[in-house]
Each structure stands twice: as C-alpha cells, then as structure tokens.
Amino acid sequence: MNDVIDFGDPLKHEARLKLWLPIMRELKNMLGRKLKYFTLPGPKAYDVIKWKKEGLLEFDGRGFPEVCFCEMDPNNYINAKRILGNTGGIKGRFENIIQNRRDPRYKAFWELFPYDVYNLDFCGTWFEDEEPLSQTFVSIINLINAHVRCRKFNKFIVFLTIRIDKRRTNKQVIDDLKDNLQDNLSQQIFQGILSIDDLATFIKNRFHAFMLISIPKLLAFKMIPQTRRLSGRITKLTRGYYPRNRYHIGKFVLVIDKERTDLRHNPDWYKQIVRESFELTHIIKIARNTIAEETQRDLQALREEIKRIERYGT
C-alpha cells in the first residue's frame, strides 16, 4: 500500500519552487501565453493554486478552462473538485486515461490534449509490479509518444515524481538497469564522466543515486523512434530528491522538443542525456534543514489561500 502523501509538506513545496516554477515561467514567456496543464493534484491542489498565484494558468472566475486533473481516490477527488471549481476532472487512474483514448469517461483529458505541462506525481515506485515495466511507466512513454505524434506541437514539459525504494522495486528492473549502466560505463564515449569502482556496492549504498541516473536514461531510450521520422527529444533534464523514512522521493523535469531523425539507434540528443544523467553533482538535494524561510512563508500563504477557497469558493 502506498503511503499517504502530504502535498503541503515543505520539502515538496521547496521542490515546486526550485524544480518546477522556473521552467514553467520560462515556457510561458517563450509561448507568450498562459499554459495548458494536466496534473495529479492531491486533495488540496496546491500546485494549481500556486500556478494561479504566479499567473501561469488561465482562471475565469469559476475554474481553470485549460487545466485537467486526475485523482483515483474518491474523497481526494471531491476535495480537489471543491477547490478547483469548474475545472475538468477525472475520477480514475492516469494509466486508464492513456490506454483508453476513446472511453467517454476520459473525455476531459483528451479534449484539451496536448498540454504544455504534465505533472505526473505518483505515489509508487513505477516498478513494483510483477512485470518489470509497469503499466505506469508504459503509460508515461505512451503519453509522450502520443504528444509527439501530434502534427504540430510546441516544446512541452513533463514533471515526474517517483518513490525510490529498493525494497519495493522489482528485482528484474534493478538487474536490467545495472546491466545497462555497466554497459554504458564500458563504452569509450562515456568513460571518465562517472567513476564507479564497484557498481554493486554503489547500488547497495546509494540506491537513490543509481535510480536518479538510470531513470532518465531509460526514459530517453524508450523515446528513440523505430519507424517514424519525427521524434521527440529531451532538450533539458533537471533532477532533485529528498529523503523520507527509509526511502527517497525522486523528481525529474524533462523538457521535450521535436526533431527530424534518420532512425539512428543512438541519436546525438540521447548520448547527451546519458552524459547528463551521469553528472551526479548537478542533482538538487532538498533537506529540511536547508529549506529557505521564503519557502515556508510562501507555503503558509498558499495554505491560507486554499483555506479561503474551501470556505468561500473560487
């Protein structure tokens, strides 16, 4: 069973401010308009209300016409709907939305698709099913590919949150990712970027770092096209993490653009992402004893705004 998530936790808010807010501002400025946004917001919809305060999302006085949210817990859905008002929402699983495009229950998502930003904040590890590649991970890749298949699309952002917990991660996934990393480390093109003398010890002692390296590489690899000429490419990667009791939360920001490809097995952008994945010094660590006072003040103001909405409406 997944742990209850506190979306109003200061660690989580620090991640919003450090990892998400700057890149959303950048995309809004580049597009010259407010953003279309899909999210798994939790019961209080902290992210949507924060982006409203920042002027990133369109608000018409009753709701957010270019926002769609998804929540599988009935009580959380009701609470989020109370806060978001006349905003498109789906009570169900993200995976079902992506796998059942023609299902009328998921019309709210597909009517607005494609979005500028996808905030996929999951509770689990992605890789704790019996099958090595879980339906969650497969759905993430399918979503990205569906966006790329649009005839015209702008640069877009995918926020990914994952529980990094060795105890709950499929062993076959760990072994496969280990073999892949070992193969990369043996290739001359990547040698000297990351120094690991004993990979097994590295995984045992720094499992969160191992996953922070491996997940972007795996996502990028799954995006390499096999049959089509137009593909997506990751143009920017940002990562962060913070500790929980006996596990870590990993945060990934992917900026995805399009490119024409000659169907080479390893395009240049993929090699660059592998190199960037190896750069552990570029990962943002968030800890309670380093949370800025500004973050605490901003979070308190956000909590008060949400309480006001709960009491008086949007």
Side-chain angles (χ1 to χ4, degrees), residues 33-38 57 66 112-117:
R33 59 169 174 78
K34 294 186 178 180
L35 302 172
K36 292 174 67 176
Y37 185 67
F38 173 72
L57 304 176
E66 294 199 309
L112 286 176
F113 184 81
Y115 297 80
D116 300 309
V117 183

Side-chain angles (χ1 to χ4, degrees), residues 135-148:
Q135 288 302 306
T136 301
F137 181 81
V138 171
S139 297
I140 292 169
I141 297 300
N142 288 344
L143 169 64
I144 292 171
N145 287 335
H147 191 127
V148 170

